Amino acid sequence: MNLANESISEEFILLGFSDRPWLELPLFVVFLVSYILTIFGNMMIILVSRLDSKLHTPMYFFLTNLSLLDLCYTTSTVPQMLINICSTQKVISYGGCVAQLFIFLALGSTECLLLGVMSFDRFVAICQPLHYSVIMHQRRCLQLAAACWISGFSNSVLQSTWTLQMPRCGHKEVDHFFCEVPALLKLSCVDTTANEAELFFISVLFLLIPVTLILISYAFIVQAVLRIRSAEGRRKAFGTCGSHLIVVVLFYGTAIYMYLQPPSPASKDRGKMVSLFYGIITPMLNPLIYTLRNKEVKGAFKRLITRVFLIKK
Protein backbone atom coordinates (compact mmCIF):
# COMPACT_ATOMS: atom_id res chain seq x y z
CA MET A 1 0.00 0.00 0.00
CA ASN A 2 2.83 2.40 0.87
CA LEU A 3 4.53 1.59 -2.43
CA ALA A 4 1.31 2.29 -4.34
CA ASN A 5 0.80 5.60 -2.53
CA GLU A 6 4.42 6.54 -3.18
CA SER A 7 4.03 5.83 -6.91
CA ILE A 8 0.79 7.82 -7.19
CA SER A 9 2.35 10.87 -5.51
CA GLU A 10 5.58 10.57 -7.51
CA GLU A 11 6.61 12.99 -10.21
CA PHE A 12 9.03 12.51 -13.09
CA ILE A 13 11.35 15.13 -14.55
CA LEU A 14 11.46 15.10 -18.36
CA LEU A 15 14.93 16.40 -19.16
CA GLY A 16 14.59 16.70 -22.95
CA PHE A 17 17.34 19.09 -24.04
CA SER A 18 17.35 21.09 -20.79
CA ASP A 19 21.15 21.01 -20.86
CA ARG A 20 20.91 23.06 -24.07
CA PRO A 21 18.56 25.93 -23.16
CA TRP A 22 19.30 27.73 -26.44
CA LEU A 23 17.40 24.94 -28.23
CA GLU A 24 14.17 25.43 -26.28
CA LEU A 25 12.70 28.32 -28.30
CA PRO A 26 13.35 26.70 -31.71
CA LEU A 27 11.95 23.39 -30.40
CA PHE A 28 8.85 25.11 -29.01
CA VAL A 29 8.17 26.71 -32.42
CA VAL A 30 8.74 23.42 -34.27
CA PHE A 31 6.53 21.44 -31.85
CA LEU A 32 3.73 24.01 -31.91
CA VAL A 33 3.67 24.43 -35.70
CA SER A 34 3.89 20.66 -36.24
CA TYR A 35 1.06 20.02 -33.78
CA ILE A 36 -1.23 22.61 -35.39
CA LEU A 37 -0.55 21.21 -38.87
CA THR A 38 -1.09 17.65 -37.59
CA ILE A 39 -4.46 18.52 -36.04
CA PHE A 40 -5.65 20.47 -39.07
CA GLY A 41 -4.36 18.02 -41.71
CA ASN A 42 -5.64 14.85 -40.09
CA MET A 43 -8.99 16.39 -39.17
CA MET A 44 -9.47 17.43 -42.79
CA ILE A 45 -8.70 13.90 -44.03
CA ILE A 46 -11.20 12.41 -41.57
CA LEU A 47 -13.91 14.93 -42.52
CA VAL A 48 -13.34 14.62 -46.26
CA SER A 49 -13.26 10.79 -46.14
CA ARG A 50 -16.47 10.62 -44.12
CA LEU A 51 -18.45 13.37 -45.87
CA ASP A 52 -17.59 12.57 -49.50
CA SER A 53 -19.39 9.43 -50.70
CA LYS A 54 -16.78 8.88 -53.45
CA LEU A 55 -14.21 8.16 -50.74
CA HIS A 56 -16.30 5.51 -48.96
CA THR A 57 -13.86 2.79 -49.98
CA PRO A 58 -11.56 0.45 -47.97
CA MET A 59 -8.49 2.54 -48.79
CA TYR A 60 -9.95 5.70 -47.29
CA PHE A 61 -11.50 3.79 -44.38
CA PHE A 62 -8.00 2.70 -43.35
CA LEU A 63 -6.63 6.19 -44.08
CA THR A 64 -9.25 7.61 -41.71
CA ASN A 65 -8.07 5.19 -39.03
CA LEU A 66 -4.47 6.30 -39.66
CA SER A 67 -5.43 9.97 -39.31
CA LEU A 68 -7.31 9.26 -36.06
CA LEU A 69 -4.26 7.43 -34.73
CA ASP A 70 -1.97 10.33 -35.61
CA LEU A 71 -4.30 12.84 -33.96
CA CYS A 72 -4.37 10.93 -30.67
CA TYR A 73 -0.71 9.95 -31.01
CA THR A 74 0.58 13.51 -31.01
CA THR A 75 -1.99 14.79 -28.51
CA SER A 76 -0.73 12.27 -25.95
CA THR A 77 2.73 13.89 -25.91
CA VAL A 78 3.03 17.31 -27.60
CA PRO A 79 0.89 19.46 -25.21
CA GLN A 80 2.92 18.24 -22.23
CA MET A 81 6.14 18.86 -24.15
CA LEU A 82 5.09 22.44 -24.93
CA ILE A 83 4.24 23.03 -21.27
CA ASN A 84 7.59 21.64 -20.09
CA ILE A 85 9.61 23.72 -22.54
CA CYS A 86 8.02 26.87 -21.09
CA SER A 87 8.52 25.67 -17.52
CA THR A 88 11.64 25.58 -15.40
CA GLN A 89 10.61 22.43 -13.48
CA LYS A 90 9.73 20.20 -16.48
CA VAL A 91 7.77 17.71 -14.40
CA ILE A 92 5.02 15.25 -15.21
CA SER A 93 2.90 13.45 -12.61
CA TYR A 94 3.10 9.69 -12.20
CA GLY A 95 -0.45 9.34 -13.53
CA GLY A 96 0.36 11.58 -16.49
CA CYS A 97 3.46 9.55 -17.28
CA VAL A 98 1.52 6.27 -17.10
CA ALA A 99 -1.20 7.63 -19.40
CA GLN A 100 1.38 9.01 -21.82
CA LEU A 101 3.32 5.74 -21.89
CA PHE A 102 0.20 3.61 -22.39
CA ILE A 103 -1.44 5.76 -25.08
CA PHE A 104 1.74 6.44 -27.06
CA LEU A 105 2.71 2.76 -27.03
CA ALA A 106 -0.81 1.55 -27.87
CA LEU A 107 -1.29 3.91 -30.80
CA GLY A 108 2.24 3.38 -32.10
CA SER A 109 1.77 -0.41 -32.06
CA THR A 110 -1.61 -0.06 -33.75
CA GLU A 111 -0.11 2.10 -36.49
CA CYS A 112 2.60 -0.50 -37.17
CA LEU A 113 -0.10 -3.09 -37.90
CA LEU A 114 -2.43 -0.69 -39.70
CA LEU A 115 0.23 0.28 -42.25
CA GLY A 116 0.66 -3.43 -42.97
CA VAL A 117 -3.10 -3.81 -43.50
CA MET A 118 -3.09 -0.80 -45.83
CA SER A 119 -0.39 -2.45 -47.96
CA PHE A 120 -2.50 -5.63 -48.10
CA ASP A 121 -5.44 -3.53 -49.29
CA ARG A 122 -3.30 -2.04 -52.09
CA PHE A 123 -1.98 -5.52 -52.97
CA VAL A 124 -5.53 -6.88 -53.42
CA ALA A 125 -6.68 -3.77 -55.32
CA ILE A 126 -3.86 -3.97 -57.87
CA CYS A 127 -3.04 -7.68 -58.05
CA GLN A 128 -6.60 -9.04 -57.64
CA PRO A 129 -8.80 -6.21 -59.00
CA LEU A 130 -11.68 -8.49 -60.07
CA HIS A 131 -11.94 -10.00 -56.58
CA TYR A 132 -11.28 -6.76 -54.67
CA SER A 133 -14.89 -6.06 -53.63
CA VAL A 134 -15.32 -9.69 -52.55
CA ILE A 135 -12.12 -9.83 -50.47
CA MET A 136 -12.15 -6.30 -49.01
CA HIS A 137 -15.83 -6.06 -48.11
CA GLN A 138 -17.02 -3.79 -45.30
CA ARG A 139 -17.08 -6.49 -42.63
CA ARG A 140 -13.55 -7.63 -43.52
CA CYS A 141 -12.27 -4.04 -43.29
CA LEU A 142 -13.87 -3.60 -39.87
CA GLN A 143 -12.35 -6.89 -38.68
CA LEU A 144 -8.87 -5.94 -39.88
CA ALA A 145 -9.05 -2.48 -38.30
CA ALA A 146 -10.38 -3.92 -35.02
CA ALA A 147 -7.57 -6.51 -34.98
CA CYS A 148 -4.99 -3.71 -35.33
CA TRP A 149 -6.49 -1.64 -32.50
CA ILE A 150 -6.98 -4.61 -30.13
CA SER A 151 -3.47 -5.96 -30.76
CA GLY A 152 -1.92 -2.52 -30.29
CA PHE A 153 -3.67 -1.86 -26.99
CA SER A 154 -3.00 -5.41 -25.73
CA ASN A 155 0.70 -4.95 -26.42
CA SER A 156 0.63 -1.63 -24.59
CA VAL A 157 -1.00 -3.18 -21.51
CA LEU A 158 1.76 -5.80 -21.30
CA GLN A 159 4.72 -3.54 -21.99
CA SER A 160 3.47 -0.68 -19.81
CA THR A 161 2.85 -3.04 -16.89
CA TRP A 162 6.28 -4.68 -17.17
CA THR A 163 8.03 -1.32 -17.49
CA LEU A 164 6.25 0.36 -14.58
CA GLN A 165 6.84 -2.60 -12.26
CA MET A 166 10.61 -2.16 -12.43
CA PRO A 167 12.03 -0.67 -9.20
CA ARG A 168 13.49 2.80 -9.71
CA CYS A 169 15.07 3.42 -6.30
CA GLY A 170 13.97 7.04 -6.31
CA HIS A 171 15.29 7.83 -9.80
CA LYS A 172 12.99 10.44 -11.37
CA GLU A 173 14.93 12.09 -14.18
CA VAL A 174 13.72 10.76 -17.54
CA ASP A 175 16.29 11.65 -20.20
CA HIS A 176 13.65 12.22 -22.86
CA PHE A 177 10.83 14.55 -23.94
CA PHE A 178 8.09 12.11 -22.95
CA CYS A 179 7.55 8.81 -21.12
CA GLU A 180 8.72 6.06 -23.47
CA VAL A 181 9.74 2.48 -22.64
CA PRO A 182 13.52 2.72 -23.40
CA ALA A 183 13.84 5.95 -21.40
CA LEU A 184 11.92 4.58 -18.38
CA LEU A 185 13.93 1.35 -18.35
CA LYS A 186 17.08 3.43 -17.83
CA LEU A 187 15.65 4.60 -14.48
CA SER A 188 15.62 1.07 -13.11
CA CYS A 189 18.14 0.18 -10.42
CA VAL A 190 18.06 -3.57 -11.24
CA ASP A 191 19.15 -5.59 -14.25
CA THR A 192 16.84 -4.86 -17.21
CA THR A 193 18.26 -7.46 -19.61
CA ALA A 194 15.03 -9.49 -19.59
CA ASN A 195 12.93 -6.38 -20.23
CA GLU A 196 15.20 -5.27 -23.08
CA ALA A 197 15.01 -8.75 -24.62
CA GLU A 198 11.21 -8.68 -24.33
CA LEU A 199 11.12 -5.19 -25.90
CA PHE A 200 13.35 -6.38 -28.74
CA PHE A 201 11.16 -9.45 -29.37
CA ILE A 202 7.93 -7.40 -29.45
CA SER A 203 9.60 -4.79 -31.67
CA VAL A 204 10.43 -7.56 -34.14
CA LEU A 205 6.78 -8.65 -34.10
CA PHE A 206 5.38 -5.15 -34.55
CA LEU A 207 8.10 -3.64 -36.77
CA LEU A 208 10.19 -6.12 -38.73
CA ILE A 209 7.44 -8.63 -39.57
CA PRO A 210 4.95 -5.99 -40.86
CA VAL A 211 7.61 -4.14 -42.85
CA THR A 212 8.80 -7.43 -44.39
CA LEU A 213 5.24 -8.30 -45.44
CA ILE A 214 4.82 -4.78 -46.82
CA LEU A 215 7.96 -5.12 -48.94
CA ILE A 216 6.80 -8.50 -50.25
CA SER A 217 3.39 -6.99 -51.10
CA TYR A 218 5.05 -4.16 -52.98
CA ALA A 219 7.24 -6.56 -54.93
CA PHE A 220 4.07 -8.18 -56.28
CA ILE A 221 2.44 -4.77 -56.77
CA VAL A 222 5.36 -3.50 -58.88
CA GLN A 223 5.18 -6.61 -61.04
CA ALA A 224 1.43 -6.13 -61.54
CA VAL A 225 1.75 -2.40 -62.28
CA LEU A 226 4.45 -2.97 -64.90
CA ARG A 227 2.05 -5.30 -66.71
CA ILE A 228 -0.54 -2.52 -67.02
CA ARG A 229 -0.54 -1.35 -70.64
CA SER A 230 -2.02 2.09 -70.00
CA ALA A 231 0.52 4.72 -68.97
CA GLU A 232 -2.25 6.55 -67.09
CA GLY A 233 -3.16 3.37 -65.24
CA ARG A 234 0.47 2.80 -64.23
CA ARG A 235 0.83 6.40 -63.09
CA LYS A 236 -2.34 6.21 -60.97
CA ALA A 237 -1.32 2.90 -59.38
CA PHE A 238 2.19 4.10 -58.59
CA GLY A 239 0.83 7.41 -57.26
CA THR A 240 -1.58 5.71 -54.85
CA CYS A 241 0.98 3.17 -53.64
CA GLY A 242 3.80 5.73 -53.62
CA SER A 243 2.06 7.79 -50.92
CA HIS A 244 1.70 4.75 -48.68
CA LEU A 245 5.29 3.65 -49.32
CA ILE A 246 6.66 7.06 -48.31
CA VAL A 247 4.71 6.89 -45.03
CA VAL A 248 6.01 3.35 -44.45
CA VAL A 249 9.65 4.38 -44.97
CA LEU A 250 9.35 7.40 -42.66
CA PHE A 251 7.54 5.60 -39.85
CA TYR A 252 9.21 2.19 -39.83
CA GLY A 253 12.68 3.53 -40.62
CA THR A 254 12.79 5.81 -37.59
CA ALA A 255 10.98 3.34 -35.28
CA ILE A 256 13.35 0.49 -36.21
CA TYR A 257 16.33 2.78 -35.57
CA MET A 258 14.93 3.58 -32.11
CA TYR A 259 13.82 0.15 -30.93
CA LEU A 260 16.05 -2.37 -32.72
CA GLN A 261 19.50 -0.83 -32.44
CA PRO A 262 21.83 -1.83 -29.55
CA PRO A 263 21.77 0.73 -26.71
CA SER A 264 24.67 3.17 -26.86
CA PRO A 265 25.42 6.27 -24.74
CA ALA A 266 26.78 8.03 -27.83
CA SER A 267 23.42 7.72 -29.60
CA LYS A 268 21.40 9.20 -26.71
CA ASP A 269 20.65 12.57 -28.30
CA ARG A 270 20.15 10.99 -31.71
CA GLY A 271 17.59 8.66 -30.13
CA LYS A 272 15.65 11.66 -28.81
CA MET A 273 15.59 13.32 -32.21
CA VAL A 274 14.56 10.10 -33.95
CA SER A 275 11.68 9.55 -31.50
CA LEU A 276 10.57 13.15 -32.11
CA PHE A 277 10.57 12.42 -35.83
CA TYR A 278 8.26 9.40 -35.70
CA GLY A 279 6.24 10.86 -32.84
CA ILE A 280 5.68 14.39 -34.20
CA ILE A 281 7.03 14.97 -37.71
CA THR A 282 5.67 11.81 -39.37
CA PRO A 283 2.06 12.36 -38.16
CA MET A 284 2.31 15.91 -39.55
CA LEU A 285 3.65 14.72 -42.91
CA ASN A 286 1.12 11.91 -43.41
CA PRO A 287 -1.81 14.19 -44.43
CA LEU A 288 0.47 16.23 -46.72
CA ILE A 289 1.79 13.10 -48.43
CA TYR A 290 -1.67 11.64 -48.99
CA THR A 291 -3.29 14.88 -50.15
CA LEU A 292 -0.54 16.36 -52.30
CA ARG A 293 -0.04 13.09 -54.20
CA ASN A 294 -3.69 12.03 -54.42
CA LYS A 295 -6.10 13.60 -56.91
CA GLU A 296 -9.14 11.94 -55.29
CA VAL A 297 -8.45 13.51 -51.89
CA LYS A 298 -7.72 16.92 -53.46
CA GLY A 299 -10.93 16.70 -55.49
CA ALA A 300 -12.97 15.72 -52.43
CA PHE A 301 -11.41 18.59 -50.46
CA LYS A 302 -12.38 21.07 -53.20
CA ARG A 303 -15.95 19.69 -53.26
CA LEU A 304 -16.17 20.06 -49.49
CA ILE A 305 -14.94 23.67 -49.59
CA THR A 306 -17.40 24.47 -52.40
CA ARG A 307 -20.26 22.92 -50.42
CA VAL A 308 -19.35 24.98 -47.34
CA PHE A 309 -19.33 28.24 -49.32
CA LEU A 310 -22.66 27.40 -50.99
CA ILE A 311 -24.25 26.76 -47.59
CA LYS A 312 -22.96 30.12 -46.31
CA LYS A 313 -24.43 31.91 -49.32
Side-chain angles (χ1 to χ4, degrees), residues 181-301:
V181 173
L184 289 176
L185 284 179
K186 292 177 182 177
L187 298 185
S188 179
C189 54
V190 297
D191 184 24
T192 60
T193 303
N195 294 74
E196 290 170 2
E198 169 268 325
L199 177 61
F200 183 85
F201 174 72
I202 291 181
S203 298
V204 169
L205 290 180
F206 279 83
L207 290 171
L208 282 189
I209 292 179
V211 81
T212 301
L213 295 175
I214 289 170
L215 293 176
I216 293 172
S217 297
Y218 272 98
F220 286 107
I221 287 172
V222 169
Q223 288 181 349
V225 171
L226 292 177
R227 287 197 296 266
I228 298 175
R229 295 182 180 180
S230 165
E232 177 66 20
R234 287 198 299 270
R235 187 197 59 77
K236 184 177 180 181
F238 274 127
T240 302
C241 296
S243 300
H244 178 253
L245 198 55
I246 292 172
V247 172
V248 165
V249 170
L250 290 174
F251 182 81
Y252 284 103
T254 51
I256 287 172
Y257 177 89
M258 184 66 184
Y259 283 92
L260 293 178
Q261 71 161 344
S264 168
S267 62
K268 181 179 64 174
D269 287 345
R270 272 183 295 168
K272 292 180 191 177
M273 297 307 297
V274 168
S275 63
L276 289 178
F277 194 89
Y278 69 74
I280 298 176
I281 305 301
T282 302
M284 177 194 70
L285 294 177
N286 285 353
L288 296 175
I289 292 168
Y290 277 105
T291 53
L292 293 178
R293 294 176 55 86
N294 193 310
K295 287 185 177 180
E296 291 179 336
V297 175
K298 288 190 284 189
F301 182 72

Side-chain angles (χ1 to χ4, degrees), residues 304-313:
L304 178 62
I305 296 297
T306 303
R307 194 186 312 171
V308 170
F309 278 111
L310 288 175
I311 291 173
K312 285 185 178 180
K313 290 180 179 179

Side-chain angles (χ1 to χ4, degrees), residues 137-166:
H137 53 79
Q138 185 178 18
R139 185 178 178 184
R140 177 72 50 76
C141 293
L142 290 171
Q143 289 171 341
L144 289 171
C148 293
W149 285 87
I150 293 170
S151 300
F153 276 76
S154 299
N155 171 53
S156 182
V157 169
L158 292 175
Q159 284 207 62
S160 299
T161 302
W162 291 335
T163 302
L164 293 168
Q165 283 180 342
M166 299 297 291

